[in-house]
Amino acid sequence: MNQSKIAALTALSRQKIEPACQLFTAHMEACWQQALSGALRERKAEDLDYELKRKHQSLIDAFHDVVIKIFEQTLRLENREEKTARGASVFSSVGYAHIELAMSVAQLEALLKIRFNQAFSLLEKRNKALFYFGKIDIQSMPFGLANITQMLKELFLAVELNESNQMKLMQAFSLTLSDSVADLYQKINKTYADAGILPNLESMQQKAKKVR
């Protein structure tokens, strides 16, 4: 299938899930602002040069830009080679502290994957049905965990922070997201179902479990 046809099909598919796009973006930004406020309170006594306070608006603006950028990249349905190259470019020419951060972000992705496996499993099936014309997997699906962790990686390259503030923000964001992501993915799955994308998937899985 040529690229122009894939682009046209992608645009049509996106129209079907636009409410989910808006929901996802708004939720990520709300979680980030909550995490930032919490980190500001906790780090008040230790953040001697007021770095988080000084860069508060920059962190909000940069996160918004990163969320939009990552989501648009995902909807390009890039192939595995493109995705690998993009992931490598994020951490090219960066120091040891960023490698440690990358490992911490990867641990977050693994934790969320284990904790919310069922919600992601449903979403993966629906994405594969919706974007049947493109190469899509668990690492490249819209609203996937890889999107979330890539946001954090790119954010901390866009806005320079000391390592303590980076880790505090990531921990605060992880906690906020962990408490709310199950509800988010339930709503996204409902948006897909309402748009006619495998609308009976949940009931089919429940029946399959009963048969077992």
Side-chain angles (χ1 to χ4, degrees):
M1 191 179 293
N2 63 46
Q3 289 300 312
S4 60
K5 189 168 184 180
I6 288 176
L9 287 169
T10 300
L12 287 172
S13 297
R14 169 142 190 191
Q15 287 178 9
K16 292 183 178 181
I17 59 168
E18 189 58 37
C21 301
Q22 295 172 4
L23 184 68
F24 181 80
T25 302
H27 189 88
M28 289 298 117
E29 292 194 61
C31 283
W32 178 249
Q33 291 190 33
Q34 185 178 336
L36 183 54
S37 297
L40 272 168
R41 288 193 299 271
E42 289 187 33
R43 292 283 297 163
K44 191 173 182 179
E46 301 170 9
D47 194 13
L48 299 180
D49 64 348
Y50 302 103
E51 183 179 53
L52 289 179
K53 187 174 182 179
R54 286 188 290 106
K55 297 182 178 181
H56 182 269
Q57 192 58 48
S58 296
L59 286 163
I60 291 174
D61 294 342
F63 189 83
H64 172 79
D65 293 342
V66 165
V67 170
I68 300 300
K69 174 186 173 184
I70 296 298
F71 194 75
E72 293 300 328
Q73 284 176 336
T74 302
L75 285 178
R76 280 177 44 218
L77 300 181
E78 55 201 351
N79 61 39
R80 196 178 301 275
E81 289 75 21
E82 288 175 318
K83 193 167 185 64
T84 300
R86 179 165 64 84
S89 69
V90 172
F91 283 92
S92 59
S93 305
V94 298
Y96 180 70
H98 286 98
I99 299 303
E100 283 191 328
L101 179 66
M103 292 173 65
S104 296
V105 170
Q107 288 174 353
L108 167 62
E109 182 176 352
L111 174 65
L112 292 175
K113 189 180 294 183
I114 292 169
R115 188 171 179 185
F116 304 109
N117 182 58
Q118 184 178 2
F120 296 137
S121 175
L122 293 170
L123 187 59
E124 181 183 13
K125 289 180 173 66
R126 286 192 163 109
N127 270 314
K128 285 183 175 179
L130 179 63
F131 297 102
Y132 66 91
F133 49 85
K135 295 180 179 179
I136 191 167
D137 58 25
I138 193 70
Q139 289 298 313
S140 60
M141 73 160 93
F143 315 114
L145 287 173
N147 296 165
I148 297 171
T149 52
Q150 191 72 18
M151 288 172 198
L152 290 173
K153 291 175 186 177
E154 297 210 8
L155 174 78
F156 290 132
L157 291 179
V159 181
E160 186 175 349
L161 294 174
N162 67 52
E163 189 174 344
S164 295
N165 284 332
Q166 281 184 346
M167 295 306 295
K168 177 56 70 176
L169 268 177
M170 196 190 77
Q171 289 166 2
F173 182 70
S174 301
L175 182 61
T176 304
L177 191 60
S178 295
D179 289 342
S180 62
V181 77
D183 183 57
L184 169 67
Y185 278 86
Q186 186 177 13
K187 290 176 180 176
I188 290 176
N189 270 303
K190 185 178 184 305
T191 300
Y192 273 63
D194 289 346
I197 304 158
L198 302 182
N200 301 316
L201 185 58
E202 282 85 354
S203 59
M204 289 170 62
Q205 287 206 344
Q206 288 173 0
K207 288 179 181 178
K209 286 180 180 178
K210 287 180 181 178
V211 170
R212 291 175 197 166

